[in-house]
Amino acid sequence: MIFLAPVMLVLMLVAVFPILYSLYLSFFRIKLTRPNRTPFVWLDNYTDLFGNELFWTSVARTVVFSVVSVSAIAVIALLVSLLLNQDFRFRRVLSTIILVPWAIPYVANALMWKWIYDSGYGALNGLLFQLDFISRYMVFLGDQNKTIYLIANAFVWKEVPLATILLLVSLKAIPSDLYAAARVDGATVWSRFVHVTLPAMKPGFLLVMIYETMMAIRHFDLFFILTEGGPGDASHVLSWHIYVETFRNLSFGSGAAMSYVLALVTFALSYIFIRTLGRRV
Amino acid sequence: QGASDLTMHTWSAAVDTVQSHLNAFTASSGINVNYGNSPWAQYREGMVTKFVGGAPLDMMWVSDAWLPEWVEAGWIAPVDGFKNLTQYNSEAEEFCNDSMTYNGRQYGLTYYTDYMAFLYDEEKVKAAGFDAPPTTWDEVVEQSLVMKEKGISDYPMMLAMAQESWLIEFMSTLVFSHGGRFIDENGMSSMTSEKDGAMEALQWVVDAVSKHGIVSPACVETGELSGLKAFASGNHAFAMVAKYRLRMLNDPEQSQVAGNVQQTLMPKGGNGAHNTVGWMRFHGMSSQAAADPIRAEATAKLIEWFGGKSDGAYKFQKLLFLDIGAGFGVKPLFDDPEIKAAYNAYGDVEVIKAQQSLAMQKDVVTPWFGEWNETNGTAWQSAILGNTDVASAIAKSSDAWDELKEDY
Amino acid sequence: MTDTIHKPAVDYRRRQKLARISRNLAILIGALVVAIYVLAPVAWLVSSSFQTEAEIVSVPPHWIPEDPTLRNFEAIFTAGNEEEITYENRSGQDPASGGYIPSTAKNLLPAMWNSTVVATLVVILNLLVGVPAAYALAKIRFMGRDASIYFILMTRVIPDIALVVPFFLVIKNLGMLDSIWSLVLTYLAVTVPFTVFILVQYFEGLPDELDKAARVDGCSRIQALVRVFLPLSLPSLVAVVLFAFLTSWNEFLLALMFTQTSASQTLPIVLAAFTSDFTISFSFINAAGVLAIVPPIIVAVIFERYIVSGLTAGAVKG
Amino acid sequence: MARIRFNNVEKKYANGFHAVQNLTLDIQDKEFLVLLGPSGCGKSTTLNMIAGLEDVSGGALLFDDELVNYTPPHKRDVAMVFQSYALYPHKSVFDNIAFGLQMRKVDRAEIDKRVREAAEKLEITHLLDRRPSQLSGGQRQRVALGRAMVREPSVFLMDEPLSNLDAALRISMRAEIKELHQSMQTTFVYVTHDQAEALTLADRIVVMKDGVVKQVGTPDDIYERPENTFVASFLGSPPINYIDGTLKFAGGGAQFLHEALALDLPEAITAKLSGQDGRKVRLGIRAEDVDEAAAGGPGATIHGKVNSVLPVGSDQFLGFDFYGNELFFRVGKDLAHKVGDDVSLSVDLNRLHLFDKDSGASLLW
Amino acid sequence: MARIRFNNVEKKYANGFHAVQNLTLDIQDKEFLVLLGPSGCGKSTTLNMIAGLEDVSGGALLFDDELVNYTPPHKRDVAMVFQSYALYPHKSVFDNIAFGLQMRKVDRAEIDKRVREAAEKLEITHLLDRRPSQLSGGQRQRVALGRAMVREPSVFLMDEPLSNLDAALRISMRAEIKELHQSMQTTFVYVTHDQAEALTLADRIVVMKDGVVKQVGTPDDIYERPENTFVASFLGSPPINYIDGTLKFAGGGAQFLHEALALDLPEAITAKLSGQDGRKVRLGIRAEDVDEAAAGGPGATIHGKVNSVLPVGSDQFLGFDFYGNELFFRVGKDLAHKVGDDVSLSVDLNRLHLFDKDSGASLLW
Ligand SMILES: Nc1ncnc2c1ncn2[C@@H]1O[C@H](COP(=O)(O)OP(=O)(O)OP(=O)(O)O)[C@@H](O)[C@H]1O
Ligand SMILES: Nc1ncnc2c1ncn2[C@@H]1O[C@H](COP(=O)(O)OP(=O)(O)OP(=O)(O)O)[C@@H](O)[C@H]1O
Ligand SMILES: [Mg+2]
Ligand SMILES: [Mg+2]
């Protein structure tokens, strides 16, 4: 298939080797500080995970983070895309504004939020204080019950634009005569939404779910800059765990194994989305 | 990129200063240097990748905490074979020489060194009715409670206990000033020891947060930078930060408490002295460079240019101090009039010197430091958050240490 | 024919008017909520970029700068002389020394330029490579279609952290270290799978008949793609352009590893470098953050208009 | 049950095109009204206005004396077969048909029953599980028809619902629609290009042209008593033949005169032509109103040379060259004619049509 | 210029549906071939295979003896009118029509000329600047037709190109297509549901059913000599009437016997029936093959009671109840009949059709 060749070439060249390489690593017990002792351990790196308490904690954290943020993204993006699909005066302005969070590099985004959430001089505290919602500055990121949701908020804020665009694109593709048919069939605004709009948005939703799930499960930057997994292990998500294992502990083998576990989960989820939201990708 | 070019990588600090000094090096030696830098926060993982990936690299900056790890991994090479480098050891701070030595070999020349200082806001202390800063941790509590009561500050003591690379320095300071240690001479954990372990220090922090309320519960999210900012915004009366921050805190452009910030000796705990922790960063040579005699020679020259004398003077160290306030590891510079003048502009040289002599090396720097550090940080945070009691937090950390050491 | 005209039981005209008013109201409120949600943090970013370092940590915050300063922006725009740096002209302005503007400030504009170049190249390559693939996957039935899709998906499920080192090896072996091409290539690999997915989804929604008509009209597959499908896919192409551009614009980890000097460093790296162990200027970082928004927004403004609806109306019957 | 009235209704499209002009029309309750007219004359636009899918640009549209200009479609209770089908691509055939019922909260068993009944009639029972994209053109059209058939609306709107079906199916569908009309007792507005369909189904026919109504009447009116040349030529296959000439009154009777033809107009026609002596007229002869077998009198015969012979199964069409006019007549399939033959055809004088030559208005009706 | 051959061609869709079965067909160069068959029988599928738009699942498709199973569409040089139009929504009408020429690098002036010519013929000149979405159904269809007309391919494929046009336009378009065929001298494969169209345009007609060819022949063959009941009933409007009975040889001649009817079969027919005495047969009488005027002999008359009267403009259809069979005959529009009248119709015996009752195969052809 000549049309696929360029993509395949790029992926083969750049993506396939890394994937196989880390798969290969995951079968060895590699600790960089012991360059001379790297035994082939077959699946031990994987089986070890079952007994690793922190690993399961991180899985739980990841699940919470992903579920919260992906559902928030999907809902907000749905609402915003429906809004932007309307015809009104400032539509163009609004749809440009909505892209702003996307345009801020992750690093700047994380720093911005860190600074907004700060318990000493943060803008959020300042705002709540001035509005008299709180009488003294609150602890945000340092509160282990709030941390993950606050990080999710920063993540959602950043990811909504892409999701919105993806949904908007599929909204725009709906042929208007379907609405005409539905109106004649007696469908109210709501039924038209349910029976015409939503099914037509399936492709967009599929993209959003796959992409955002992937991003949420793997998300790293915010955790790195905002909390480094803290306080305690409150934001110790799987991607952070992998990072620590790989770069702090220099255990490339088990890091790769965990990456593979995460990859399989992501793949399985994507597969489920593909199966449920569309027969084809 | 000529074949004889050297590659040097640093974190993105004092970039212009480094570049100017490098240009002078090229002018004087004729050796070209490719100078790259990357952000401090991600420097270590960047270097790990470069080492593993075999990127061309000759000289780089190394943090004392990474030394054992990098040596064990075979990434950096000792430099004590180069006479032109060892000649400076006599004029260097002993603390620095020790910190660059692993298994009896020396791995570089000092880039900068500093220690954790105890700073206070003179105005607030006075307002609270005290005429001297605290000298013990109990006094810190005492003064703080008064300030709290008088509404001078909600959380008079600023402690930055967030998970980040600084955390170990803060913890070490607390432990050392309480007279404790993390490990004993055999390298086994001694943290759990009631008297000279880490228990007392952590207990102080836990009490400060939850019993006295003089340290914000947000300390677990506060990093060194945010803490510094909070202190600069006038939220706190006491702070534990790197000594070189003193200058910034007294700069009206950046600080709302400029002019009021003073340094005093680190408060001591029941069994402690006024000890603090010191750290240093150094210029190191990659094993890659060391393997090739010609390149090794050139790299040694480059290290000398930065870490030793260039054109007969400790030029780089001086520039660095004047530009960014970074402490130097070469004693003679203290006598430099320009430096004296600069120090006195914002601090008390005597206190600075006195505290410096009480700075101790981190005792946990081992090849498994990185791995343990993670567990330890989480354990301390759990105790501060009230998820576990002090004893079991320390025990967890202690067990992790012994296990890792065993494993090694 | 009787000429009595009854008003309907329900006055639909009024109802229509009411509906329009409430719709407009809902839109207005919705738009306001969205705009506030999106802009509030950014507004603070902008406001603080005009404040001094001392002012931004005020408690409570100064929402409007009391003492606005352009220092941050001046530092970014005035720096950048091409001269060799010497002891005399070096910027000693690291924070601790009295100024809080990092000496790397002058690298910001070159880094933005690098980022723009990289992102633009990635966009172009994405389209060149991704569009035909998506077309093939959407409109050509061939064996291994599903396998190809899952293969493409698979390249993106592994976390980047695990791929950093092997990616690095590939880039090193291609001799692309510290060159923007390393980023162009890896970003392409990172973005193209999703680009393909976006386009496949959209192409599949376009009537098969159009493809057939084009081919009967004498188009080869590629011509059918270019002459018929692409003009109809503008919305999804915009999505792809934005996606590829912004992903490249935002990417941090790989850029951190592959770039070392200002010849190739991109914006996020330079931004991150502003928080070095000595650098503490939030206000400056915010100024940089504000500038970082500008190029993508220009791109967005250029392309946003092409997200239009109903491109296929009237094409087929059925 | 609905009576639909158009009072001076106008429709202008966004691009300024004036698609329907000053339409005044009264559609009776339970009437089967067929809209007829050339492509682009505004039939679909008219249906869309009834359904509420296009705004009325001017005038009043009334359902049972109630102004509905602003009533949204789902409150109008109409069922519609779209010319472009407009099937829901993501729904199965079953769900496409069931949707209108689901929207009206008809209970499940009832829906199932009605859908299956309709599918049976439409011969698409075996396709109920398919998606529209897997259907042939005619099958899609039947689904579109089914969607309307299962409903019980007050108005049925059908826009060429049978155009893509084969003759046999079309005839049986036509019967189904007729039956539907009878059993439902509701108003039908029906667009078709098929004359047989129009003539067999309609209670009344509206003939439109360029957005303007040209004639409204029963099928018989329209076919037998066209009010103008447009309506006359619009129906009939092959279409009506025209010969221009002059009216001449002589003796008690009138004559149609053309350089090569003189027809004696019968009494019934002459009666309507008083005072039109010498008028330039256009004579219309329907293709089927000639006979070769019977020998016409001298005042009722056309002579000509056969120009083309077109067998169409049941009949054959003879093309004639008649002094510059191309005439087409329908004759029995038994008569063997070759191109070039001379033929004489007797004209059925009672069925002649006469129009004013310039305005095209009928002189008879 | 192309001769198209199907050798045992099969088409199975992805869902397993067998749309075309074992199709063997030889389309001559320059032939005008019409595909006829009920909705869903595989006509469009066959066209699509010729165009290369659907893969051939089995067998060989040959253009001039060259296997083209795997040749992509743009190498086949065909022009096609799609049943669903498939207009380029983003292009103006002009560009839609011009596109095929642009792809073939015809020069601009020439394109302009050809497009305008075609638009003229199609009466859409005033629409050239519009987008498809702003056109009426029939206008869209004409654009689709125009897109093919401007081309000079070796094969024209037209899938119901006139279904949405009014009768008058359809007739003139039919003439245009005829002329196109004559001037281009290329092969046409044409799908239609309109019998008049099929019979007037076709050199040969292929009648299909459920993916299988039922008969191939000239229009005359198909109409006059249907090989089976399917083909016989498929053409004719109203369709052919069937009466089941038995063959009886008596004396020199044969007779068709039914409880209430005995027809003496003429010589020509009897000759083909030798040895079929006593066979159960199905008699076919086309609706137009009766005459009320002429008095038929005893062995050639049907008596019955009028059940329905359907005027269709040019004629009227009488529905008969004949011993449980519903028969439809076409009679002149002059004859005034009411429901309930008793009528006698003489049957044109020479035009009778006889089929085997069980297999439906013709006994005559
Ligand atoms: N994509 C498809 N998948 C499965 N079956 C299909 C598909 N397309 C068509 N069919 C089936 O194949 C058969 C032939 O379809 P085709 O379109 O050739 O019919 P047709 O003869 O053109 O009918 P019509 O006159 O209604 O257009 C139909 O029964 C149809 O349901
Ligand atoms: N959206 C539109 N914008 C502008 N003009 C339009 C639009 N839709 C239709 N028209 C024009 O309005 C006129 C009437 O269109 P309409 O669809 O009512 O015709 P119609 O009588 O249904 O024709 P057909 O028999 O071809 O379907 C046509 O000339 C058409 O070109
Ligand atoms: Mg229409
Ligand atoms: Mg078809």
Side-chain angles (χ1 to χ4, degrees), chain D residues 40 42-45 83 159-160 191 193, chain E residues 136-138:
Chain D
K43 305 180 292 296
S44 302
T45 307
Q83 191 172 13
D159 203 346
E160 312 223 17
V191 172
H193 283 311
Chain E
S136 80

Side-chain angles (χ1 to χ4, degrees), chain B residues 9 11-17 19-21 23-24 35-40 42 45-46 49-50 52-55 111-112 225 228-229 233 235 244-245 247-248 251-256 315 319 322-324 326, chain C residues 52-55 57-59 71 84-87 89-92 94-100 103-104 106-107 164-165 168-169 172 177 252 256-257 259-261 265 269 272-273 275-282:
Chain B
H9 204 84
W11 51 87
S12 313
V15 173
D16 259 24
T17 313
Q19 187 67 59
S20 61
H21 197 56
N23 290 341
Y35 168 48
N37 60 79
S38 42
W40 160 247
Q42 292 83 16
E45 28 287 335
T49 306
K50 287 186 178 66
V52 174
Y111 145 50
Y112 97 92
L225 272 183
L228 185 66
K229 288 284 165 189
S233 74
N235 282 357
Y244 64 79
R245 300 296 195 197
R247 186 162 165 185
M248 169 262 165
D251 171 14
E253 278 253 32
Q254 307 180 66
S255 164
Q256 304 194 342
K315 173 119 193 171
L319 284 177
L322 294 175
D323 283 355
I324 64 173
Chain C
T52 62
E53 197 59 19
E55 190 177 358
V57 293
S58 305
V59 179
R71 272 190 73 166
E84 191 179 85
I85 296 161
T86 62
Y87 294 132
N89 70 10
R90 74 179 200 276
S91 146
D94 259 292
S97 64
Y100 53 84
S103 66
T104 42
K106 63 172 186 298
N107 290 345
V164 162
V165 169
F168 189 90
L169 291 172
K172 193 190 82 173
L177 278 183
F252 179 71
L256 173 74
M257 301 302 176
T259 68
Q260 326 193 335
T261 66
Q265 273 176 345
I269 304 305
T275 63
S276 197
D277 52 349
F278 299 106
T279 306
I280 44 179
S281 175
F282 276 130

Side-chain angles (χ1 to χ4, degrees), chain B residues 249-267:
Chain B
L249 286 169
N250 280 321
D251 171 14
E253 278 253 32
Q254 307 180 66
S255 164
Q256 304 194 342
V257 292
N260 299 326
V261 182
Q262 300 285 338
Q263 179 182 2
T264 184
L265 289 184
M266 189 61 63

Side-chain angles (χ1 to χ4, degrees), chain D residues 13 15 39-45 83 193, chain E residues 130 134 136-139:
Chain D
Y13 277 107
N15 68 350
S39 172
C41 70
K43 305 180 292 296
S44 302
T45 307
Q83 191 172 13
H193 283 311
Chain E
R130 292 219 198 143
Q134 301 173 318
S136 80
Q139 289 165 344

